Amino acid sequence: MYNDSYEEPLMASNFEFSEKSVRMAFIRKVYAILMVQLAITLAVSSLLIFEPNCRAYSHEHPEMSYIAIAMTFICIISLACCTNVRRQTPTNFIVLGIFTFCEAFLVGSVASFYKADAVAISLGICVIVCLGLTIFAFQTKYDFTMCGGMLFVALLIFVLFGFFSLFFMSRVLEIVYASIGALIFSMYLVFDTQMMIGGNHKYSLSPEEYVFAALNLYLDIINLFLYILTLVSSARK
């Protein structure tokens, strides 16, 4: 009788400990992949910004950017829509690696048109903002995973606003557009971080989706950096 009375709580405790350890291993794996992606992006972007020959090549051959854009879309569709691709090793890492190099080339090509000091300032702001939002996502009691629909609608309206602004572009409109973009992807960073954390949040990613989780966080950070760069550059004009 004594053993039976404590068997269920003991099993529940072991299950909770096992689930927590699996989730922590998943988070460590996601951030490890993300750090490698960001390191590759920083290295390729620095080459295109500070190496004159590489910068000139990217400016003189815009077709390379078109190829990189096409490859990024193919990789994103493959990872997002094909479960076997994003969960099967080493296929998932190969596709993610191709996507990261193409995205790094695009980020470097865009950043090479800006002044180096503006890029450095934007990078510093982006690092501080990302760290702050990540800490907030881990600590806050508010569940942002329930806001996926609202964020998607906001992103869709933002894209339509971007097409509209092409015909009425001005410095003020550019600052407003970049500010809204930075705000949206800041919220997406909190949303995707809480999806990765799991726990008491309503929705969460499976521990098998470490590549998909790293991809989401990477895209959030890259988009946030680009909009901050646009905002800083516009404000300094």
Side-chain angles (χ1 to χ4, degrees), residues 3-13:
N3 291 334
D4 291 344
S5 63
Y6 284 93
E7 183 177 2
E8 185 174 349
L10 183 62
M11 291 178 61
S13 177

Side-chain angles (χ1 to χ4, degrees), residues 153-167:
V153 172
L155 182 62
L156 183 61
I157 295 173
F158 175 70
V159 171
L160 295 176
F161 176 63
F163 283 113
F164 169 80
S165 63
L166 290 175
F167 301 98

Side-chain angles (χ1 to χ4, degrees), residues 83-188:
T83 305
N84 294 333
V85 173
R86 67 173 181 265
R87 291 188 177 183
Q88 185 176 357
T89 305
T91 305
N92 51 3
F93 287 111
I94 293 174
V95 177
L96 185 65
I98 294 172
F99 166 80
T100 302
F101 276 105
C102 292
E103 191 70 16
F105 177 82
L106 291 173
V107 172
S109 298
V110 171
S112 65
F113 286 96
Y114 294 87
K115 293 182 179 180
D117 59 342
V119 175
I121 293 172
S122 302
L123 180 61
I125 295 174
C126 184
V127 170
I128 295 172
V129 171
C130 289
L131 287 176
L133 290 174
T134 301
I135 295 172
F136 172 76
F138 272 87
Q139 299 297 327
T140 184
K141 295 181 181 180
Y142 295 102
D143 187 2
F144 282 82
T145 63
M146 297 186 296
C147 302
M150 291 186 293
L151 287 175
F152 178 76
V153 172
L155 182 62
L156 183 61
I157 295 173
F158 175 70
V159 171
L160 295 176
F161 176 63
F163 283 113
F164 169 80
S165 63
L166 290 175
F167 301 98
F168 304 95
M169 185 56 68
S170 65
R171 180 169 172 266
V172 175
L173 188 60
E174 188 176 14
I175 292 175
V176 172
Y177 179 76
S179 300
I180 296 174
L183 177 62
I184 289 175
F185 283 101
S186 294
M187 296 177 66
Y188 260 112

